[in-house]
Amino acid sequence: MAPSTESSGPAGHPAVDALADRLASLPWVTGLYVAGSLASNDHVPGVSDLDLVALTDRPPDTQPLSSIHGELDAGVAAGDDLGCAYVDVARRDDPEAPHPTWTHGRLVHRPLTTIPRAELAVHGLTVFGEDVRTAFPPVTEDDIRRASREEVCGYWAKAVRHPAWWILEPEIAELGLSAMARGRHAVEHGRLLTKTAAIAHADAPAWLRARLRERRRGDPAPLPRLRTAWIAWNDARRTVASLRP
């Protein structure tokens, strides 16, 4: 029996409600959950992505999922960066197992790592299915510390070895400042900061933090590319060095 949805789910977002309606026609989709900024009340329209996770009772059929997301991206979800990971319940407990994931207009296979699992555990919203607090294994503070350290010392350590990336791709510099602040806070406290809260903890001059706040609100505040890249790269270099085992 297909799960039922109401016309306005707990997330209160038209794109999420539309996805829930489409997934209700697929009997093997057993639950839909909201994570990320929308769940933590940190969502900024036009700036934030929509991050969802669905549970399935068998390996997902990617053909209908691609069709559904393609339709939504061209319609009600246009400009929202609606993404969803489709997790087979048989592999739900494995944080390294890859799952079909719709993100930024395409279907990829990647793990549902500890960080989004922690966001689900703390802030997650149940659109339909089993309650999110019992649908996924619990995440401890030590799990968050370990996952945050691995993220900083994994991708970001690689990015530090390529200084040109920070100049050629300004979004890396902007994301890096908040990612380093979140990583340091998580390792110290075992808790995740929202992206907005992380700006206050960014290791950056006051003028740059102010511009980051403006951009987070959706204001078109330009960032000086070279100065921002230099500040963000040095912050990441120091953070990676401090968090390496």
Side-chain angles (χ1 to χ4, degrees):
M1 180 177 178
S4 61
T5 63
E6 298 178 1
S7 58
S8 180
H13 194 288
V16 175
D17 294 339
L19 178 62
D21 288 342
R22 303 304 192 281
L23 295 183
S25 67
L26 303 176
W28 40 269
V29 177
T30 59
L32 181 64
Y33 307 93
V34 179
S37 60
L38 188 60
S40 62
N41 293 317
D42 193 42
H43 185 266
V44 181
V47 175
S48 306
D49 296 347
L50 295 174
D51 299 309
L52 289 94
V53 178
L55 281 180
T56 67
D57 63 10
R58 62 176 177 80
D61 184 349
T62 57
Q63 192 281 324
L65 296 180
S66 294
S67 298
I68 288 170
H69 280 282
E71 174 197 346
L72 295 179
D73 283 358
V76 67
D80 286 326
D81 282 333
L82 174 64
C84 188
Y86 292 87
V87 177
D88 179 359
V89 69
R91 309 180 77 191
R92 172 182 55 185
D93 296 353
D94 183 355
E96 298 183 4
H99 308 286
T101 302
W102 185 267
T103 178
H104 297 96
R106 63 193 184 100
L107 193 72
V108 301
H109 286 75
R110 67 186 188 190
L112 183 68
T113 58
T114 301
I115 298 300
R117 289 171 183 267
E119 292 176 338
L120 282 168
V122 176
H123 303 294
L125 300 174
T126 304
V127 182
F128 65 72
E130 181 183 0
D131 185 83
V132 67
R133 302 294 180 267
T134 57
F136 294 90
V139 175
T140 68
E141 290 184 355
D142 284 343
D143 290 334
I144 294 173
R145 289 188 175 96
R146 182 169 53 254
S148 298
R149 189 186 299 274
E150 289 173 353
E151 182 176 284
V152 170
C153 298
Y155 170 79
W156 290 105
K158 178 181 178 181
V160 163
R161 296 195 295 270
H162 299 274
W165 290 4
W166 302 73
I167 300 171
L168 298 175
E169 302 182 50
E171 62 273 13
I172 290 181
E174 185 172 0
L175 179 60
L177 286 166
S178 61
M180 295 305 99
R182 296 182 87 198
R184 291 190 298 267
H185 186 274
V187 170
E188 181 176 357
H189 300 286
R191 299 189 303 274
L192 295 174
L193 289 172
T194 65
K195 290 181 180 178
T196 297
I199 292 172
H201 296 264
D203 189 1
W207 65 265
L208 181 50
R209 292 197 302 272
R211 290 197 180 184
L212 291 173
R213 282 192 292 270
E214 292 172 11
R215 290 174 64 83
R216 182 66 187 164
R217 291 194 296 264
D219 297 335
L223 298 176
R225 179 175 290 198
L226 290 178
R227 290 176 70 190
T228 303
W230 175 250
I231 292 167
W233 178 78
N234 274 291
D235 177 34
R237 180 177 56 82
R238 291 190 297 267
T239 302
V240 168
S242 70
L243 296 187
R244 272 190 171 133

